[in-house]
Amino acid sequence: MAELNTEAKLKMHLKQEKIQLWNPPYTEDNNQPGAKHMQELAERYAPLVCLPVQEVGGALEAIRVQAVKRGKGNKTFKETSMATLELLLPRDSKKDPKTKNHLETRLDVLVQEVVDRIAEEFRLKHIKLILNGKTLCADQRLDEQGVKNHSKVMVLKVSDTELRQQAREEEEKKKNQNESLQRTEKGFQILSERDGSEETSPFLEIADQRGNPLKIPHMEKKALILAMGFHEKGRSLMKKKQFENALCHLLQADQQFSKCGSALLGSVDNFAVLQLDIVWCYRALEALSCLDDGKSRLQQAEDCFLKCYGEQQQRLLMIKGNTGREEVLFLRLYLLQSLLSYIEGNDAQARHQLSKVESLYSRLCLDSEKMAQLMALGFNEREARLGLRACQGDLQEAAIHISNQRQERDELKHRERQKRSRKMEGISTLTELGFSRRDAARALHHADGDVDRAYQILLDSSRAAQLTNNNTEGVVSPERVEQLLYLGFDREASEAALRLTGGDVQSATQLLLDNQGVLPPELLSVSPPSSSSSPSPTSEEPSTSSNSTDDRELVNEVLEDISRHEEDYLDLTLEEESELIATMKTYLSQRPTHTV
């Protein structure tokens, strides 16, 4: 890391003086260094960067070699269309940590061809390639995915579980995805399709910071659940120090978040926390040469925190009553910003950010005796840690705060139990009137628990279904469907509207207009009352919401990765942060401050 810092400073000075190391007199015709001029340059720059002449000379030579290689690569690319890619290999695959690895390739080839070459050359069995935080698709070309001459490409190894699944997929579906990602995605897809209308199936609900459910459009809610699901899985893997696998899941979460509206992302801190976690994985994988992507993500995180928490965190203070717990996020943000500033050669900015980190760390690093006292009162370690941080280390206030939080959670659970009890009573009432339990549950869900409204929904759907059964072919005759198609409605909606209105084109038109051309699910998914006690077979569920054994296993598997505590992401012990703070202090203390 110190080498990157030195090179960044020297590059800045070279740029200011418009010195081109790849040209004479610094590089001779045979691409060898112009020793005399390089030595003079090292002697002149050494005092400026406060380093020995020999060390500066070595750094300048490394920059010169890179520049010559880059120039040669530009010439080669111009003449032959062969691009040069810089490979960021896994740590245990690097022969020499200080040597950069490159690969020459055309950009109009499939990513899979490059994957195979890298795997063979560096003896890596199964890998995936990452460019600017995005996984490159194996069955698409490099240039179609933004790869350019001199692009930096991160190489990630795939875990053993993923290897087996990847091999199966190559044989069966020719897809380059891994089992962990697939199972996570499918599990959360199942959950994202569930809306809580089923009696026993688990489902996920998006809530605000007070635990109140949020009304979100279906497609956006689906993307948000998938994003949060991948994020939870990634965080679970980070806790196990499986950073490569974690990064794969976090990048998938980032893709899903991109499908959500900016207004939604600005109102929750999940997106900001994800950006921090991605850059933290970059750090753990020693892939901080992904500097531009890391800087961009940290800026996104800072902007998102600003929108979500307010200028002086006043919005957070209004909602939660304190800001102590969220300060760990800012500690990690400033620490990563300090690290990237150092790598850029900006020691002054690195020190400035590190001073903010140390100030936060001194407040957030807790008294072990106070922790023990709270745990002796029956609170667990997480409650004690979060409580003390929320109350600025005040033992008595922390005990009261934790007790109040427990009470709020108990009240929330009590309201949920009451809501479920009322729902079960409503279902029983409607089933006594002859409707199936499934239809009764769905109707109640769409009626927000109002039994009278649910009953009306069931009656309306029953009449429509009876009309459909009496004359299905007549009401959806091609002529009537064509009339609706001519008016601009799609075929599926037109046929459904005709069935619901008994074939009356005028009524079907009005029904479609009233619903913007898309009929509400309560008119489509409910079957007529039954005289028997058996469930109605006509209410079909989406395939991803089935209750098969495989689906139940998938759902249970992904639910294991979701923390049962809503503030788990704030419960950082700061052990890793402490190590990085010490490392940064060591690097920054080795030389005097030089403002850049």
Side-chain angles (χ1 to χ4, degrees):
M1 191 159 67
E3 291 86 354
L4 293 174
N5 172 267
T6 301
E7 288 183 15
K9 290 178 180 176
L10 293 172
K11 285 177 182 177
M12 182 273 299
H13 287 295
L14 292 168
K15 187 175 181 181
Q16 285 178 344
E17 297 184 26
K18 298 181 180 179
I19 293 176
Q20 299 177 334
L21 293 183
W22 59 91
N23 285 330
Y26 306 102
T27 297
E28 298 178 350
D29 293 339
N30 58 359
N31 287 335
Q32 293 301 308
K36 179 182 175 182
H37 292 89
M38 288 293 289
Q39 179 65 21
E40 290 175 352
L41 203 58
E43 291 172 356
R44 184 152 58 88
Y45 282 169
L48 297 178
V49 294
C50 308
L51 288 172
V53 173
Q54 186 177 359
E55 188 174 337
V56 173
L60 284 170
E61 175 59 12
I63 295 172
R64 190 196 68 81
V65 170
Q66 291 171 27
V68 170
K69 192 172 291 185
R70 189 178 183 90
K72 183 181 177 182
N74 287 337
K75 184 179 179 182
T76 301
F77 183 66
K78 187 176 180 180
E79 295 175 352
T80 67
S81 296
M82 290 292 288
T84 302
L85 307 182
E86 182 179 334
L87 303 180
L88 310 177
L89 297 171
R91 281 173 293 181
D92 56 2
S93 302
K94 296 177 182 177
K95 297 176 183 177
D96 181 0
K98 295 183 179 180
T99 302
K100 295 187 177 182
N101 296 280
H102 297 85
L103 181 80
E104 289 190 353
T105 178
R106 294 182 62 87
L107 297 178
D108 57 359
V109 300
L110 295 179
V111 170
Q112 186 60 55
E113 182 178 324
V114 177
V115 167
D116 292 340
R117 284 183 58 194
I118 295 172
E120 181 179 357
E121 185 172 341
F122 297 98
R123 297 181 181 179
L124 296 169
K125 287 187 178 180
H126 290 267
I127 56 175
K128 58 177 59 182
L129 305 182
I130 309 292
L131 175 71
N132 295 330
K134 305 293 183 185
T135 302
L136 298 181
C137 297
D139 56 354
Q140 294 181 26
R141 291 175 13 172
L142 291 168
D143 53 6
E144 292 174 341
Q145 301 181 73
V147 181
K148 300 176 181 178
N149 189 28
H150 301 305
S151 285
K152 294 180 180 180
V153 179
M154 181 189 291
V155 181
L156 285 185
K157 290 191 296 185
V158 184
S159 67
D160 292 340
T161 303
E162 295 169 319
L163 289 178
R164 291 193 296 271
Q165 178 63 13
Q166 196 172 48
R168 285 197 296 269
E169 287 173 352
E170 285 171 357
E171 294 174 4
E172 299 171 4
K173 301 178 181 179
K174 294 183 179 180
K175 290 182 179 179
N176 188 30
Q177 295 178 334
N178 57 73
E179 182 179 8
S180 178
L181 288 173
Q182 278 192 321
R183 292 182 70 82
T184 300
E185 182 170 16
K186 186 172 181 183
F188 280 104
Q189 275 182 341
I190 294 168
L191 287 166
S192 70
E193 292 289 353
R194 293 178 178 173
D195 55 12
S197 62
E198 302 167 42
E199 286 187 75
T200 57
S201 298
F203 71 100
L204 295 180
E205 192 168 53
I206 307 296
D208 62 18
Q209 290 168 315
R210 294 184 182 275
N212 302 310
L214 294 175
K215 295 280 186 182
I216 302 172
H218 175 69
M219 292 308 294
E220 203 166 15
K221 178 182 177 182
K222 184 175 179 179
L224 188 57
I225 285 178
L226 282 169
M228 294 170 71
F230 275 120
H231 191 183
E232 288 291 330
K233 179 69 175 180
R235 288 182 61 249
S236 173
L237 291 165
M238 285 176 71
K239 290 178 181 178
K240 300 171 185 174
K241 310 296 183 186
Q242 298 176 18
F243 290 106
E244 286 195 9
N245 200 6
L247 183 58
C248 293
H249 287 80
L250 296 177
L251 294 175
Q252 286 289 330
D254 191 52
Q255 287 184 16
Q256 293 298 329
F257 267 123
S258 68
K259 300 176 184 177
C260 300
S262 58
L264 177 62
L265 295 184
S267 63
V268 294
D269 60 6
N270 306 71
F271 182 67
V273 176
L274 173 65
Q275 304 312 309
L276 287 184
D277 287 341
I278 289 174
V279 183
W280 196 256
C281 280
Y282 284 169
R283 176 207 63 83
L285 295 169
E286 297 180 5
L288 285 168
S289 46
C290 298
L291 186 61
D292 291 339
D293 188 54
K295 282 180 64 178
S296 172
R297 291 186 184 279
L298 292 182
Q299 188 60 56
Q300 288 183 72
E302 192 166 16
D303 293 343
C304 187
F305 283 139
L306 184 65
K307 290 179 183 177
C308 185
Y309 295 159
E311 287 273 354
Q312 301 296 326
Q313 301 183 31
Q314 70 271 17
R315 184 166 177 260
L316 181 64
L317 190 63
M318 182 177 66
I319 294 172
K320 290 193 172 183
N322 62 77
T323 61
R325 289 162 295 184
E326 279 72 16
E327 285 185 334
V328 295
L329 301 177
F330 288 95
L331 184 148
R332 184 170 277 193
L333 171 66
Y334 299 149
L335 183 55
L336 289 169
Q337 287 176 335
S338 175
L339 176 62
L340 293 189
S341 293
Y342 177 75
I343 291 173
E344 281 188 309
N346 194 338
D347 290 12
Q349 181 64 18
R351 281 190 173 86
H352 174 68
Q353 292 300 97
L354 189 60
S355 67
K356 292 159 67 174
V357 171
E358 291 184 288
S359 176
L360 283 171
Y361 184 77
S362 65
R363 294 205 302 269
L364 296 171
C365 197
L366 302 172
D367 185 330
S368 57
E369 186 176 336
K370 290 180 179 179
M371 287 281 293
Q373 285 179 306
L374 285 173
M375 292 171 70
L377 293 174
F379 303 126
N380 61 41
E381 184 179 347
R382 175 192 286 147
E383 288 176 319
R385 186 161 37 242
L386 292 174
L388 282 169
R389 285 176 181 164
C391 300
Q392 310 299 321
D394 188 304
L395 183 64
Q396 187 173 358
E397 289 295 323
I400 295 171
H401 173 80
I402 298 169
S403 298
N404 289 341
Q405 278 213 316
R406 281 189 171 187
Q407 185 177 348
E408 287 175 9
R409 280 195 290 271
D410 289 342
E411 288 174 355
L412 182 61
K413 288 178 183 177
H414 179 65
R415 290 197 298 271
E416 288 295 322
R417 284 195 294 268
Q418 285 185 321
K419 181 180 176 181
R420 179 171 177 76
S421 178
R422 288 194 298 270
K423 177 181 175 181
M424 298 307 293
E425 290 173 5
I427 291 173
S428 297
T429 299
L430 294 170
T431 52
E432 288 173 4
L433 295 174
F435 298 100
S436 71
R437 293 191 69 83
R438 173 186 280 181
D439 288 349
R442 285 190 170 192
L444 271 171
H445 176 75
H446 292 301
D448 293 325
D450 188 316
V451 176
D452 292 335
R453 278 180 57 204
Y455 179 63
Q456 192 59 48
I457 289 172
L458 288 163
L459 280 182
D460 291 345
S461 297
S462 300
R463 295 191 188 105
Q466 286 170 355
L467 284 170
T468 301
N469 292 336
N470 290 337
N471 190 13
T472 301
E473 293 183 4
V475 298
V476 291
S477 65
E479 295 79 8
R480 292 172 178 173
V481 173
E482 285 298 325
Q483 290 181 56
L484 293 176
L485 294 178
Y486 181 76
L487 294 174
F489 302 111
D490 66 44
R491 181 175 297 278
E492 187 178 349
S494 299
E495 291 176 351
L498 285 168
R499 282 195 294 269
L500 289 170
T501 58
D504 187 315
V505 175
Q506 187 173 351
S507 297
T509 302
Q510 190 59 50
L511 181 62
L512 288 165
L513 288 172
D514 290 343
N515 292 279
Q516 290 79 47
V518 181
L519 298 184
E522 58 263 29
L523 293 177
L524 300 175
S525 61
V526 185
S527 57
S530 170
S531 58
S532 67
S533 59
S534 60
S536 168
T538 57
S539 291
E540 297 183 359
E541 294 196 30
S543 59
T544 53
S545 294
S546 67
N547 286 319
S548 68
T549 302
D550 288 344
D551 284 357
R552 282 197 298 273
E553 288 179 359
L554 278 171
V555 168
N556 290 335
E557 184 178 309
V558 297
L559 287 177
E560 288 178 3
D561 291 310
I562 298 180
S563 172
R564 296 298 182 264
H565 195 285
E566 68 277 7
E567 293 184 334
D568 178 71
Y569 71 104
L570 301 175
D571 183 33
L572 302 180
T573 64
L574 301 184
E575 291 176 4
E576 291 179 81
E577 287 79 1
S578 176
E579 291 176 5
L580 185 52
I581 290 170
T583 301
M584 288 300 301
K585 289 174 72 174
T586 300
Y587 279 123
L588 290 169
S589 66
Q590 288 176 349
R591 57 199 73 180
T593 305
H594 175 68
T595 304
V596 176

